[in-house]
Amino acid sequence: MTKTPAERPWPLAQRPGFLIRRLHQIHVALFTRNCAEFGITPLQYSLLGALARRGEADQTTLAEDVALDRTTTAGAIRRLETRGLVRRTVFADDRRARLCACTEPGLELLAAIEPSARAAHDETLAGLSAAEQKVLVALMRRLVAAAG
């Protein structure tokens, strides 16, 4: 008896979710290797970049910028603050809210890490032509935008 496509096992190499997770693992490994000397995680790099673009932002806005929950974002910001890379101040009218900004050392680290981080991104996409890389990034942006 022949199985229908829905009854057959779905090979991992054909599952978008598996491939996205695997590519993320590959990218994190490349980032970690390329940026090891800076002692910063991809999330911390994203937060520093978001802060540098905004100048100042509250933790909720930063969480939205990097697509993470506020608790995880707050923990990462605290670690950056401990290293002197981010400054947090309490809002006068809401003692629970924190306004964040990069410190000068944070901006210097961001500038120093940028070539290594970009190299990790380039290595992640190295198996594609320049045109294919643009198409892949455009398609990923469309999927993210469509998901809201």
Side-chain angles (χ1 to χ4, degrees):
M1 176 170 172
T2 304
K3 292 184 178 182
T4 67
E7 295 172 320
R8 285 185 221 128
W10 191 8
L12 288 174
Q14 294 177 7
R15 298 179 193 178
F18 171 79
L19 294 170
I20 291 165
R21 183 179 62 79
R22 186 67 190 112
L23 190 57
H24 180 258
Q25 290 172 328
I26 291 165
H27 176 70
V28 168
L30 291 168
F31 182 96
T32 300
R33 184 196 70 209
N34 286 10
C35 302
E37 69 183 277
F38 302 101
I40 194 165
T41 67
L43 169 59
Q44 291 169 338
Y45 170 68
S46 294
L47 286 166
L48 284 176
L51 272 175
R53 278 189 308 279
R54 287 187 174 275
E56 289 185 325
D58 63 86
Q59 291 177 179
T60 300
T61 299
L62 286 174
E64 292 169 3
D65 283 353
V66 298
L68 280 177
D69 63 275
R70 289 186 343 219
T71 302
T72 302
T73 301
I77 290 290
R78 271 193 304 278
R79 286 185 288 284
L80 290 169
E81 181 183 34
T82 298
R83 290 184 59 189
L85 303 173
V86 168
R87 179 183 69 253
R88 291 187 317 154
T89 55
V90 176
F91 276 101
D93 55 339
D94 183 354
R95 306 285 303 157
R96 296 169 298 161
R98 303 285 187 270
L99 187 63
C100 305
C102 283
T103 61
E104 194 58 37
L107 293 172
E108 289 169 4
L109 176 68
L110 190 58
I113 197 174
E114 194 67 27
S116 299
R118 284 183 185 261
H121 287 279
D122 291 344
E123 288 180 65
T124 300
L125 301 177
L128 302 175
S129 70
E132 289 170 329
Q133 290 177 21
K134 286 181 183 179
V135 169
L136 177 63
V137 171
L139 290 172
M140 288 189 299
R141 291 179 69 170
R142 253 178 63 195
L143 288 170
V144 168

